Amino acid sequence: MRFLLMHRLDERAPEAWNPSPEFIETMGAFIQDSIEKGILITAEGVHPSAKGARVRKTRGAAITATDGPFTEAKEVIGGFALINAKDRAEAVEFARRYADLFDEIEVEVRQVVEEEDLAKLNSAF
């Protein structure tokens, strides 16, 4: 199974966009180990919300686009990882090890819908 991990961070924190050399080294080792073990498919950080936008459509309304920064949100998406895991518990354990690298972070874990899941999802509705 594949799982998407999205991490949120306080982009006002100084280390959010300027990590220390020690953090970069530790994260690099974690990523390399995860790739070698066949867990990590890809992982990327994203630029601050000041360089982003949010596109929103609400039922019956026009589509709106709002340029960043997103001042109404303390925590924003700072990056993502796509991993292989046998189940949600294993994905959560990986997210715990990942979160342990940071001083403060939130990681959301979501299973990716695979083709074989579509029939199950359709029958649930």
Side-chain angles (χ1 to χ4, degrees):
M1 290 181 220
R2 294 180 303 154
F3 288 84
L4 177 66
L5 284 59
M6 295 166 284
H7 75 265
R8 292 184 185 85
L9 47 77
D10 183 348
E11 72 178 343
R12 298 172 297 183
E15 67 276 7
W17 310 112
N18 190 23
S20 70
E22 295 81 16
F23 178 83
I24 291 170
E25 183 178 332
T26 300
M27 179 60 75
F30 179 82
I31 288 171
Q32 187 62 39
D33 182 59
S34 299
I35 290 170
E36 288 172 1
K37 290 179 177 174
I39 299 168
L40 184 63
I41 298 168
T42 189
E44 303 288 340
V46 296
H47 284 278
S49 69
K51 293 185 174 188
R54 286 189 177 154
V55 177
R56 179 172 286 146
K57 180 180 180 188
T58 56
R59 192 177 305 274
I63 297 171
T64 60
T66 306
D67 291 338
F70 309 131
T71 55
E72 74 280 1
K74 176 185 169 196
E75 294 180 338
V76 298
I77 294 173
F80 69 93
L82 186 63
I83 66 166
N84 290 308
K86 68 179 179 184
D87 55 26
R88 189 177 76 92
E90 187 173 87
V92 168
E93 181 53 35
F94 180 87
R96 286 177 180 274
R97 291 194 326 269
Y98 177 78
D100 193 43
L101 300 172
F102 295 82
D103 289 332
E104 185 175 350
I105 196 166
E106 176 182 272
V107 181
E108 183 173 337
V109 178
R110 303 282 298 275
Q111 185 176 349
V112 174
V113 176
E114 305 289 357
E115 187 175 347
E116 60 269 14
D117 297 328
L118 292 175
K120 294 176 202 170
L121 290 171
N122 288 333
S123 66
F125 295 104

